[in-house]
Amino acid sequence: MRSAICRSDADSIRIHGLDLTTDIIGKVDLGQMAFLEIWGRMPTQEEDAVFNALVVSLVEHGLTPSVLAARLTYLGAPDSLQAAVAAGLSGLGTVFVGSIEGAARMLQEAKAADAAEDQIPVLAREIVARFKAEKRIIPGLGHPIHKQVDPRTGRLLAIAAENGFRGRHVQLLEAVAAEAERSLGRHLPINVSGAIGAIASEIGMDWRVCRGIGLIARTIGLVAHLLEEIRSPLARELWLRTEHEAQPPE
């Protein structure tokens, strides 16, 4: 058995052919390192700008369900920071953050990269009709807070365009959003997860690991929230208030 990612011996550690101490440490930032691990090569300047933007956009979004799960887990197990982080990450599924994967899969399986421009509206109608018939939520559209526009989406799409990565996947997602609004009769803005799924597809990321962008990003945010929980706790009050308010009236 062998892995092509890393080889180490008594004197060195090599990651995809690069020496960790002489080629990477002090020269490669966290986003570049993540790209190297996933793609097996260093990113181009354009890929670097886009990939870092995708990760940064999801680090923080306030007291989300995953943050609350992490804080409450830490309340019960302050000796296990990693368990609290894991609890938060476990909640990143088809509703929160993990919809990156759903959006990327939808676009990649539609063969958007191979489609001619005039085929994009046709593909969009087929996608919306399928999800509508199956009574499933279209991944990458809508947001419980940002109901009119997700402020992160426009910025990410602009960065993608500036670096040459606003192609067929992005076009198809935009067409799906327009068709969904027409067919379903309500405004469903492209959310940050949808934008990330489309742009990650543009830079060649397999949909099966696109959720990893969210995992990388939110891990950083969860560590920060746990530090705040240590310094300025709110989990105990959250628990006690919930317990109080959950009691049936007398």
Side-chain angles (χ1 to χ4, degrees), residues 35-146:
F35 193 100
L36 172 64
E37 283 275 354
I38 296 168
W39 273 269
R41 61 174 176 82
M42 290 295 293
T44 64
Q45 183 177 344
E46 293 77 16
E47 290 168 336
D48 184 27
V50 170
F51 185 75
N52 267 289
L54 299 184
V55 175
V56 168
S57 68
L58 277 181
V59 169
E60 184 56 59
H61 202 236
L63 291 174
T64 60
S66 60
V67 166
L68 295 176
R71 286 178 179 255
L72 287 167
T73 301
Y74 188 82
L75 175 65
D79 52 318
S80 186
L81 181 77
Q82 71 274 18
V85 172
L89 294 179
S90 294
L92 303 183
T94 55
V95 176
F96 298 107
V97 178
S99 52
I100 296 170
E101 178 184 305
R105 181 177 185 176
M106 174 182 73
L107 300 171
Q108 291 180 26
E109 290 188 342
K111 307 295 185 184
D114 302 323
E117 188 170 358
D118 61 357
Q119 290 180 295
I120 295 298
V122 177
L123 291 176
R125 287 194 293 271
E126 291 174 351
I127 288 171
V128 173
R130 184 175 75 251
F131 276 87
K132 185 177 180 180
E134 296 172 356
K135 297 182 179 180
R136 291 194 292 144
I137 295 173
I138 301 173
L141 302 185
H143 197 281
I145 297 175
H146 309 301

Side-chain angles (χ1 to χ4, degrees), residues 221-240:
L222 290 172
V223 171
H225 274 277
L226 292 172
L227 177 60
E228 185 179 65
E229 182 65 27
I230 292 167
R231 294 173 172 172
S232 182
L234 61 79
R236 180 172 291 276
E237 180 182 357
L238 177 64
W239 164 47
L240 293 175

Side-chain angles (χ1 to χ4, degrees), residues 190-213:
I190 297 173
N191 59 43
V192 70
S193 296
I196 291 173
I199 298 168
S201 299
E202 293 290 341
I203 60 178
M205 196 169 189
D206 190 311
W207 68 261
R208 291 170 292 186
V209 293
C210 282
R211 188 181 302 196
I213 294 174

